[in-house]
Amino acid sequence: MKVNPFETAKRQVDIVCDIIGVNGGVREILKNPKRELTVNFPVRLDDGSYRVFQGYRVQYNMARGPTKGGIRYHPDVTLDEVRALAAWMTWKCAVVNLPYGGAKGGVICDPKHMSMSELERLTRRYASEISPLIGPEMDIPAPDVYTDSQTMAWIMDTYSMQKGYSVPGVITGKPIALGGSEGRGEATGRGCAYVIREAAPHAGLKVKGSAVAVQGFGNAGSVAAKILHDEQGAKIVAISDSKGGIYTAGGMDPHKVEEYKHKTGSVTGFPGAQPITNEELLASKCDILVPAALENVLTKRNADKVQAKMVAEAANGPTLPEADEILFEKKVTLLPDILANAGGVTVSYFEWAQDIQGFFWTLDEVNQRLERTMVRSYGDVHKEAQARKVHNRTAAYVVAIQKVVDAIQRRGIYP
Ligand code: GLU
């Protein structure tokens, strides 16, 4: 049975509201998206025919500021998935203390089977459909699964054409030439690597020489693998993508795997590695497991097979609540998504701040500020986990939800 991620998201809120004693109307606010838009829009395909696509933009909570969150293109997008992802963005921005609420967008489509020009028309039309809801002071989208800096460039241009002037701050994850930030492309993976580094001593691990398995070799997973390998001396023993995985006990060079994937379209068949399935990767012999693909991969069926001592969630929502409990009992150190992958939105915030000021930073400045944010946020979560004797996910939610609740109460309920 397919798990509904929004049900998971609401359950997580309930668990934390029980702990910190949030009830009544405020709990209801936390469990409901503030604003959602569904759009059905036609796109002309290359063969001259038209097809109607469905897309969404959900603004979950804006108590702490303008809403922020990516846009996902995937055949399995649903409104409930977008709601869950928008809720997670709310907590993510709060846990790393960005002055934002949370949002998310999605379009049901199969980008792997669309041409560039079809994707451009789809993107521009979707951007135009959601344009009443977005803007630098209102809601600022960014990349997510199967969208990239080119997608962001089209959205920036479409929005700017409607306004009659350039509005770089309407979206982040743009190419540098359009007001993008240095370091944004690798920020999710880099932030994840910093959090792993900070948490390792508390988990009794040394990253240097540790065996790492990475599920998903896109923007988050490939960068995390490269940084853990190059900068922290980890051994990358397993890698997968949507087509399957590869394993070598001795470790592989993630740069070579990336080159290979670039040429062949997948990591599968990488010379010298043993083929494994995505399911086998999760249970593979490793010290650190990095789920960097989609939701709901660690379940009550497979969580007890995890051999890693640490699970760092570069993906959003990879672990179900039942699996959380199993991992906690097994004393696996869990680095929850809203912390472990918050590097992306953190540098998105830096990008937006640079755009608004029209004043740009060097890569070193970006990475230093990113590192400071991730180190401080991990420290906050770790402290909360120790104090309350809860796992890191619950601790991260406590830190985040407390801030959102404070903002809601300070602002008061209108009118
Ligand atoms: N899609 C990314 C996430 O899930 C980045 C969002 C953003 O930069 O606004 O965190």
Side-chain angles (χ1 to χ4, degrees):
M1 198 193 72
K2 206 161 160 5
V3 184
N4 179 336
F6 189 45
E7 293 305 321
T8 305
K10 285 190 287 190
R11 247 168 86 193
Q12 290 162 337
V13 172
D14 271 327
I15 293 170
V16 175
C17 285
D18 285 342
I19 293 177
I20 58 177
V22 173
N23 292 303
V26 176
R27 190 188 286 220
E28 286 305 299
I29 294 173
L30 297 173
K31 287 170 68 179
N32 283 286
K34 176 185 171 69
R35 186 181 285 158
E36 23 188 59
L37 177 67
T38 297
V39 291
N40 296 294
F41 55 96
V43 175
R44 184 166 42 79
L45 304 179
D46 290 343
D47 66 4
S49 67
Y50 295 91
R51 225 193 95 189
V52 172
F53 289 82
Q54 186 160 79
Y56 313 99
R57 185 74 187 167
V58 174
Q59 297 173 346
Y60 196 82
N61 185 292
M62 48 186 76
R64 301 184 74 255
T67 51
K68 187 87 191 80
I71 291 169
R72 172 174 296 201
Y73 289 175
H74 197 277
D76 299 335
V77 164
T78 63
L79 180 54
D80 269 342
E81 181 194 50
V82 178
R83 286 173 173 145
L85 290 161
W88 292 330
M89 284 310 304
T90 309
W91 323 135
K92 189 185 302 187
C93 292
V95 83
V96 290
N97 215 15
L98 309 179
Y100 286 141
K104 203 81 176 196
V107 178
I108 306 168
C109 63
D110 191 356
K112 286 188 179 165
H113 293 107
M114 294 175 72
S115 70
M116 274 296 263
S117 48
E118 287 171 338
L119 281 171
E120 175 171 356
R121 288 191 293 271
L122 175 129
T123 300
R124 288 184 179 279
R125 181 63 188 253
Y126 170 69
S128 152
E129 297 286 341
I130 65 165
S131 66
L133 283 198
I134 63 174
E137 290 167 338
M138 183 153 41
D139 178 15
I140 307 112
D144 197 74
V145 173
Y146 297 141
T147 57
D148 58 17
S149 59
Q150 180 58 66
T151 324
M152 302 304 113
W154 290 325
I155 297 177
M156 180 270 191
D157 183 68
T158 302
Y159 186 84
S160 299
M161 293 311 286
Q162 289 186 351
K163 291 281 168 192
Y165 52 90
S166 288
V167 189
V170 66
I171 198 151
T172 60
K174 298 179 296 298
I176 305 264
L178 300 181
S181 177
E182 294 288 348
R184 175 62 185 89
E186 59 164 30
T188 309
R190 177 167 289 282
C192 186
Y194 288 145
V195 176
I196 291 172
R197 184 194 73 195
E198 290 305 296
H202 299 136
L205 275 176
K206 271 205 183 76
V207 181
K208 192 170 174 14
S210 279
V212 177
V214 184
Q215 184 191 47
F217 207 56
N219 176 43
S222 68
V223 175
K226 284 186 283 183
I227 292 176
L228 289 168
H229 174 270
D230 300 353
E231 297 179 18
Q232 300 187 37
K235 201 166 69 172
I236 311 300
V237 295
I239 296 177
S240 70
D241 59 29
S242 60
K243 299 201 177 77
I246 50 177
Y247 179 87
T248 56
M252 345 175 214
D253 179 346
H255 297 273
K256 295 225 167 86
V257 178
E258 187 173 50
E259 236 168 74
Y260 177 83
K261 181 176 165 107
H262 207 73
K263 267 192 255 147
T264 65
S266 171
V267 301
T268 55
F270 182 69
Q274 180 188 326
I276 54 170
T277 63
N278 263 292
E279 197 57 34
E280 285 164 347
L281 180 135
L282 298 170
S284 64
K285 193 165 167 27
C286 63
D287 303 302
I288 302 171
L289 172 64
V290 184
L294 293 170
E295 300 95 85
N296 302 344
V297 295
L298 288 168
T299 65
K300 65 170 184 269
R301 272 188 312 104
N302 62 11
D304 67 331
K305 302 201 187 95
V306 168
Q307 299 195 52
K309 296 181 201 67
M310 179 188 279
V311 174
E313 297 181 333
N316 288 312
T319 311
L320 290 173
E322 302 84 23
D324 268 347
E325 291 311 316
I326 299 170
L327 295 176
F328 189 53
E329 274 160 34
K330 277 165 61 92
K331 301 208 171 1
V332 175
T333 299
L334 180 104
L335 301 173
D337 49 5
I338 62 169
L339 172 69
N341 71 32
V345 71
T346 299
V347 177
S348 274
Y349 165 57
F350 298 160
E351 177 174 336
W352 175 79
Q354 292 172 76
D355 288 338
I356 282 175
Q357 292 192 353
F359 182 70
F360 289 85
W361 313 349
T362 63
L363 178 60
D364 270 355
E365 285 168 324
V366 169
N367 283 345
Q368 276 167 25
R369 287 183 162 120
L370 170 64
E371 183 173 9
R372 243 184 279 150
T373 302
M374 300 314 291
V375 169
R376 188 199 58 225
S377 306
Y378 171 73
D380 293 346
V381 170
H382 179 64
K383 226 177 18 204
E384 196 67 53
Q386 298 286 94
R388 293 185 186 266
K389 299 193 176 19
V390 292
H391 54 67
N392 287 333
R393 182 177 331 274
T394 303
Y397 268 72
V398 168
V399 171
I401 288 186
Q402 196 69 259
K403 288 185 196 163
V404 177
V405 168
D406 284 350
I408 293 169
Q409 285 172 338
R410 284 279 178 159
R411 288 177 67 152
I413 303 302
Y414 175 87

